[in-house]
Amino acid sequence: MIWCSRDLAGRRGAFGALLLTFFAGGIARLISRAIVGPPSDLFPFLGSLELILPPTFCCWSERLHERSNL
């Protein structure tokens, strides 16, 4: 993520792939919770970060890309 963030315009594909990977981890936590049951206290916090931050960063990245193309 740090490597991608240093040049978002040139590394948009890698940045998007990483965001998708983190988001998929959050979905996997939800599926695991539905099948196995509630995890320890730390995992809901981490899962919420995995579900909230990637879409937020994706929107932020798109806005930066739009501004750089003006």
Side-chain angles (χ1 to χ4, degrees):
M1 291 293 284
I2 294 170
W3 175 76
C4 288
S5 68
R6 292 182 182 169
D7 181 18
L8 284 177
R11 300 174 183 152
R12 288 184 69 210
F15 189 67
L18 285 170
L19 291 177
L20 183 61
T21 302
F22 283 117
F23 189 76
I27 298 295
R29 288 185 197 273
L30 287 176
I31 293 170
S32 175
R33 181 181 176 104
I35 294 172
V36 179
S40 68
D41 293 337
L42 181 61
F43 284 89
F45 172 72
L46 295 174
S48 65
L49 289 178
E50 289 172 337
L51 293 172
I52 294 170
L53 290 180
T56 304
F57 287 158
C58 186
C59 290
W60 171 70
S61 172
E62 287 298 319
R63 286 185 184 177
L64 285 177
H65 182 69
E66 289 172 4
R67 288 182 186 170
S68 67
N69 286 336
L70 294 177

